[in-house]
Amino acid sequence: MDKINVTKEYTNGETTIVWQSNKCMHSAKCVQNLPSVFQPKEQPWIKIENALDEEIKNTVAKCPSGALTIKHKQ
Ligand code: SF4
């Protein structure tokens, strides 16, 4: 896989998932925990609109590498 270093943001207007490619270990914990949102074969691979904020928050908290974080609208 290419060693590209990108930070991507996926928002539903209120909540934003931030993903940092250089930190991601591709452990697929996010995919297992919330497959409706984390779909690595799709483009975009994160579909934030497919889950509730609470589910997203819980899944992001379980990311072992810290590649996923959440930003809330100020
Ligand atoms: S849980 Fe975190 S480290 Fe694992 S694939 Fe998802 S974003 Fe990457």
Side-chain angles (χ1 to χ4, degrees), residues 8-59:
K8 294 216 167 176
E9 299 196 352
Y10 306 86
T11 188
N12 63 13
E14 291 293 319
T15 300
T16 301
I17 300 175
V18 182
W19 177 69
Q20 293 172 270
S21 69
N22 61 331
K23 290 190 183 166
C24 180
M25 308 182 304
H26 305 282
S27 61
K29 283 264 180 281
C30 52
V31 180
Q32 286 158 16
N33 287 322
L34 203 51
S36 59
V37 170
F38 296 94
Q39 301 181 350
K41 296 203 170 91
E42 304 283 320
Q43 201 52 257
W45 82 279
I46 295 178
K47 299 193 166 55
I48 191 169
E49 67 277 12
N50 288 349
L52 302 173
D53 269 11
E54 196 59 28
E55 298 173 299
I56 291 167
K57 222 167 57 186
N58 289 340
T59 301

Side-chain angles (χ1 to χ4, degrees), residues 54-73:
E54 196 59 28
E55 298 173 299
I56 291 167
K57 222 167 57 186
N58 289 340
T59 301
V60 165
K62 288 179 189 150
C63 172
S65 67
L68 292 174
T69 49
I70 294 258
K71 275 198 318 203
H72 289 284
K73 200 173 166 191

